[in-house]
Amino acid sequence: PLADPYWAIDVECVATGYRHCDRTVAQISLIRGDCSVALDLYVRPSVPVASYLTPLTSLTAELLEAKGTTFEEAVATLRSHLPRDAIIVGHSVHIDIAWLGLQQGVDFAGVADVAGLWSVWNSRYQSWSLFGQEHMAKVLLCEDMKGGAHNAVGDAIKSMTLFRLYQDLSVRGGAYLQQAQQALLDAPVSLSFARRYPTFEGVCMGNRKTCRCGAPP
């Protein structure tokens, strides 16, 4: 049988300064197409950390000190496990790919962005609605984080599960997919961490309506 080309990646970052762009990679996950864990890597930051953003990332200084390796070692391990013909799955995964310095056509073959796949045309606002992973997991997978901390492994598994659901509903027919998309539109959206805490431990969280740090979006 042909190897499953789909692999999910997720990255968690800690803050190295007080602007929303001051971040460095601290956890990397790689998940197979069947949602089994291929890699769960921790990275020991090479620069001072302003905040571990623990309620958002689940990361602590003690965890990274005990389990962390260098960023270069972690990315080398990731590259050694990621097939060159892989299709990378994730929520807004181009951001994670950029953080890791991976190149399409060199390190992987293509991308399946869960945020884009599950975007829905909103006739009320005459625009496309994009949903956060937490909202999609709550509505479509009945997994309610209730604002709890994220984890790179758990988020990558959610991305792969949401991708497989999209594939399944697309095969079953348009009515099934439309019903799920309508459910995303109809369900109230919980406030994200950045909206609940525009700044955390002095660190700007990048909410575009409340950002005051002056860094570009």
Side-chain angles (χ1 to χ4, degrees):
L2 295 175
D4 190 333
Y6 297 106
W7 295 73
I9 283 177
D10 193 81
V11 167
E12 293 291 341
C13 293
V14 295
T16 57
Y18 296 98
R19 300 177 302 167
H20 60 253
C21 60
D22 296 329
R23 302 289 189 269
T24 192
V25 174
Q27 188 187 12
I28 304 167
S29 68
L30 178 66
I31 304 300
R32 301 181 185 90
D34 64 358
C35 289
S36 61
V37 180
L39 292 174
D40 180 14
L41 305 171
Y42 292 93
V43 178
R44 192 180 302 117
S46 60
V47 294
V49 173
S51 173
Y52 291 88
L53 307 175
T54 304
L56 176 65
T57 66
S58 302
L59 300 172
T60 64
E62 294 76 17
L63 177 62
L64 299 186
E65 184 61 34
K67 296 187 176 182
T69 184
T70 67
F71 175 75
E72 292 75 16
E73 289 173 324
V75 172
T77 301
L78 175 65
R79 283 194 168 105
S80 72
H81 283 73
L82 183 67
R84 298 299 177 263
D85 62 351
I87 307 297
I88 296 181
V89 174
H91 185 276
S92 300
V93 73
H94 61 281
I95 298 173
D96 303 81
I97 290 169
W99 274 117
L100 298 170
L102 302 179
Q103 297 182 46
Q104 186 168 342
V106 177
D107 299 303
F108 62 96
V111 172
D113 181 10
V114 173
L117 289 174
W118 280 105
S119 62
V120 181
W121 178 254
N122 191 324
S123 58
R124 178 181 178 186
Y125 297 106
Q126 291 296 295
S127 63
W128 289 94
S129 291
L130 293 171
F131 303 99
Q133 188 192 65
E134 191 169 338
H135 179 71
M136 290 193 288
K138 179 180 178 180
V139 175
L140 301 174
L141 308 179
C142 299
E143 296 183 18
D144 190 354
M145 291 181 63
K146 300 186 184 298
H150 288 245
N151 176 279
V153 169
D155 283 356
I157 290 173
K158 286 188 182 74
S159 289
M160 184 61 75
T161 306
L162 287 163
F163 173 69
R164 294 303 193 192
L165 177 62
Y166 182 88
Q167 284 185 313
D168 178 56
L169 295 182
S170 297
V171 169
R172 290 170 63 185
Y176 293 98
L177 184 59
Q178 290 170 9
Q179 184 178 7
Q181 291 171 328
Q182 191 61 46
L184 288 172
L185 278 177
D186 291 343
V189 177
S190 301
L191 293 179
S192 67
F193 186 89
R195 291 186 66 184
R196 286 185 286 123
Y197 304 101
T199 60
F200 180 80
E201 295 183 345
V203 175
C204 177
M205 298 307 301
N207 182 289
R208 62 186 178 86
K209 292 184 178 180
T210 57
C211 171
R212 297 292 182 270
C213 76

